[in-house]
Each structure stands twice: as structure tokens, then as C-alpha cells.
Amino acid sequence: MRKEAMPTTSADPLEFLEDGTDPRTVAWTGEQNARTRAALDAVPGRDALRARLSVLLGGGTIGCPESAGGRAFYVARRPGRQQAALFVREGDADRMLFDPLTLDPSGLTAIDWFYPSPNGALVVFGLSTNGDERSTLYLLDVMRGQTFGETIPDTRHCAVAWLPDEHAFYYTRFPSGSDYDQRIYLHTLGTPYSNDLLVFGEGREKEEYMAPRLSSNGRWLLVSVFRGWISNDVYLADLHGVDSYFVTVIESPDALYDAVAGDDRLFVRTNEGAPNFRVFEADPLEPRRSSWNELVAERRDAKIEAFALARGVLVFEYLRNVLSEIWWRPFDGELRRFEHPSLGPGVAAL
């Protein structure tokens, strides 16, 4: 019996769906939507459910504020608005700084992220359209409430670290049109982004994500390089040194390291050997893992969700029994639980 050769290729009858502008794709999508609409509209009680959800979803949202220069910056979507706007609070007064609807009345442009400068005079923020998250970076003057200067494209998932004098900032950027090979650059205000100095990332794995952090005195530049959500490396540069090269703080495929640089100390929150996390400190002049000292031990009954430096103390958010607790510790003191006079112990306005 003669065997027929199997065809090596076959035509895909739905290949046209890969092109959203193809008339066949447009027609196919319309037919699918009509079929779905007919099925959903026949469900009893749907009108009441739609009305209730409209009330709940129309209440608006507000993001976590960022404090800088005595001002609080935040994004909020007011009731009835399609997109969140950027606001600043000065004293008891709130003021809208930027509303993406003024730029795009269709409601398809959104604020992805924002970073105020140390003195709160400027804000950089990212805008994207149609939900693509391919942000373009904008600069905004807080007093005037207006954007100004140059824009920087390809700043998807951008991380920014301002210099203390606010004349420049470190930031992350992708090659044009790519979601890989992220790099860290230094941008000086008033100059074309094409002239920005490449600071870190050359030769790294293309899937890695990076984040710069700067100490408040502008001396120590930390760079964290993430591989997904389970591990990262940390590098440190002394910008006041003769040669501002990066030294390795930690490289690990198995743990997370959340590093923050104070003016003269390095602090690291990690789940290395501690699923609920612990915190180490180190001398930034000797930052390698072998020189770390444990500052806050792991607790078995609570996880350190986050920590931050604030006016000479370390502030910790612990998660215990699905509730957040706030603890704080002077750099050279004891760990204490935050006591709020009206909310009770350990409960803060998170």
C-alpha cells in the first residue's frame, strides 16, 4: 500500500484575526459581540446588577500619596470621571496638577506612574494610550501646574531617582518599540533625551527589570535588577568617589533584596533564609554580603511587608493575621509598635 506524504504546512483559516484592521476581523468581532450581547441581555436581573455596579464603580478611587517638600502628591479618579488625575495637597487644600482628559477627551490616555522631586517643585509622570502602558515621560512645574520642556518616550514601568538639587534624575528606558533590554540613564533638565548618559544595564539579560534609588544626600546610587518577582541583584555606586563605578552588594538567584541607602548606612530587607523577611544594615563603603549585620530579626507571627527611612528612623509595615501593623525603630534603638491615640495600637493611616 502506498503511503501518502503528509503535508508540511497547512493554511490557518483564522490567520486574518492577527490583523485587527482586516475587514474580516472587524466583521468577525462584531458577530461575536452581538452573540455575546444577546446571551447576556437575556439574563434576569441584569439591569439591576448594572445599576448597582454603576453606583459602586462611580464612587472614585484615590492612590497612596507621595510626600515631597511639604506637599503630598497623589492620583485620584473623581466620581463620574473616566481617568485618574494628578493632584497635590498643600496644607488643607487640594489642587489638580494634571488631568489627562484635557489632553485626550476620549478618555483613552492614562497616568501610569509619577515621581515628585525632593523639594516638591517638579514632578515627572508617565502617560500611555489605549492601555498599552508604553509610557511617555513628561515634566511638570508644580507652582504653575503646567507641563514643560522635553518628553521622553519608551519609559514603560519607569523608575526614577531625582538628584537632590533637582537639576537631573536617573530613570529607566527601553529601546524604541521594545519590551526588553531596559537600561538606566541620567537625564539633565533642558537637554535632549538622546544625549542622556547610559549609566547601567549594558550586557545584562534582556528580560531583567531595573530600579535606581538615590540616598537623600545624593552620594549613593543603588540599582536593583529583578528577575521576575522571586529574585534580584543589588549594585551600589559612590557618586562622590573619584571613579563612580558600581560594586556588587548581592547577586542571588534565590531571594529578594529591598535595599535603601541612607546618608551613611545601607539597609536591606530580604527573605534570604527568612520567609517572613528580616532587615540588615551595612556600611556603604563595605557593602558586600559578608559585611552585613542583622538589624531586625524575622518574626514567625508576622511578615515585614515594607520598610522606609523617615527622619532618622526606620518604619516597618508588618502583616499579621491579615492586618497591617506599623512599627518603628531609631537606627540605634529598639523596635517599637506605633501607638495611634484614636485608632489604637499598631493601626495607622496606611
Side-chain angles (χ1 to χ4, degrees), residues 165-186:
D165 62 6
E166 303 184 339
H167 85 281
F169 55 82
Y170 295 93
Y171 73 102
T172 56
R173 190 176 86 220
F174 288 90
S176 180
S178 175
D179 292 331
Y180 299 98
D181 295 312
Q182 189 184 49
R183 300 287 184 264
I184 296 176
Y185 295 86
L186 176 63

Side-chain angles (χ1 to χ4, degrees), residues 299-305 317-325 327 337 345:
R299 285 175 53 178
R300 298 300 180 184
D301 65 332
K303 176 186 175 184
I304 303 177
E305 286 281 283
E317 179 193 353
Y318 278 93
L319 184 65
R320 186 170 67 90
N321 296 332
V322 305
L323 295 176
S324 291
E325 298 178 354
W327 293 67
R337 189 174 182 177

Side-chain angles (χ1 to χ4, degrees), residues 1-6:
M1 179 182 294
R2 187 169 66 91
K3 295 183 178 180
E4 297 291 339
M6 296 294 292

Side-chain angles (χ1 to χ4, degrees), residues 40 85 104 114 161 174 181 196 215 246 279 290-291:
L40 292 179
D104 179 11
F114 71 93
F174 288 90
D181 295 312
D196 289 352
S215 60
F246 284 93
V279 176
S290 58
S291 300

Side-chain angles (χ1 to χ4, degrees), residues 28-317:
W28 183 91
T29 302
E31 293 170 0
Q32 296 299 313
N33 287 340
R35 183 181 179 89
T36 302
R37 188 80 275 151
L40 292 179
D41 288 347
V43 176
R46 185 171 178 81
D47 289 341
L49 179 61
R50 180 188 295 111
R52 180 57 179 158
L53 287 176
S54 296
V55 172
L56 295 175
L57 296 177
T61 61
I62 185 169
C64 184
E66 294 284 342
S67 178
R71 299 180 170 115
F73 299 85
Y74 64 96
V75 292
R77 181 177 60 80
R78 298 308 193 204
R81 306 282 288 184
Q82 294 186 63
Q83 293 289 352
L86 178 63
F87 292 83
V88 62
R89 171 170 291 186
E90 300 169 281
D92 296 328
D94 292 280
R95 175 166 56 97
M96 182 185 293
L97 288 176
F98 181 82
D99 182 1
L101 290 174
T102 60
L103 188 65
D104 179 11
S106 72
L108 297 178
T109 297
I111 298 175
D112 294 331
W113 47 263
F114 71 93
Y115 292 88
S117 63
N119 294 323
L122 304 169
V123 181
V124 291
F125 63 96
L127 293 179
S128 64
T129 59
N130 299 319
D132 63 9
E133 298 183 352
R134 296 181 181 275
S135 308
T136 295
L137 182 150
Y138 288 80
L139 285 159
L140 184 143
D141 183 301
V142 174
M143 288 298 296
R144 296 170 57 202
Q146 295 179 356
T147 57
F148 71 96
E150 65 284 356
T151 59
I152 303 177
D154 302 305
T155 51
R156 181 171 183 255
H157 301 316
C158 190
V160 174
W162 280 92
L163 269 65
D165 62 6
E166 303 184 339
H167 85 281
F169 55 82
Y170 295 93
Y171 73 102
T172 56
R173 190 176 86 220
F174 288 90
S176 180
S178 175
D179 292 331
Y180 299 98
D181 295 312
Q182 189 184 49
R183 300 287 184 264
I184 296 176
Y185 295 86
L186 176 63
H187 177 73
T188 301
L189 302 191
T191 65
Y193 77 88
S194 57
N195 293 343
D196 289 352
L197 176 67
L198 174 61
V199 174
F200 188 91
E202 195 69 41
R204 302 288 307 192
E205 295 294 328
K206 69 176 186 177
E207 296 88 357
E208 294 175 331
Y209 274 76
M210 304 173 186
R213 275 184 172 178
L214 200 61
S215 60
S216 60
N217 64 357
R219 176 175 180 177
W220 306 105
L221 175 62
L222 275 168
V223 170
S224 295
V225 181
F226 294 89
R227 292 173 293 276
W229 304 99
I230 61 172
S231 66
N232 70 293
D233 305 329
V234 180
Y235 304 91
L236 180 68
D238 182 356
L239 302 183
H240 293 181
V242 177
D243 297 312
S244 299
Y245 58 87
F246 284 93
V247 298
T248 300
V249 178
I250 186 71
E251 290 179 334
S252 172
D254 303 317
L256 286 167
Y257 301 87
D258 179 16
V260 177
D263 289 348
D264 59 0
R265 297 194 195 186
L266 182 66
F267 301 95
V268 184
R269 181 186 72 103
T270 179
N271 61 352
E272 173 199 305
N276 285 340
F277 287 84
R278 51 184 173 163
V279 176
F280 289 85
E281 67 171 342
D283 183 345
L285 295 173
E286 296 290 341
R288 291 177 176 82
R289 178 67 181 87
S290 58
S291 300
W292 295 5
N293 297 311
E294 187 177 75
L295 191 67
V296 177
E298 179 192 26
R299 285 175 53 178
R300 298 300 180 184
D301 65 332
K303 176 186 175 184
I304 303 177
E305 286 281 283
F307 83 111
L309 306 184
R311 300 178 183 177
V313 302
L314 287 166
V315 181
F316 303 88
E317 179 193 353

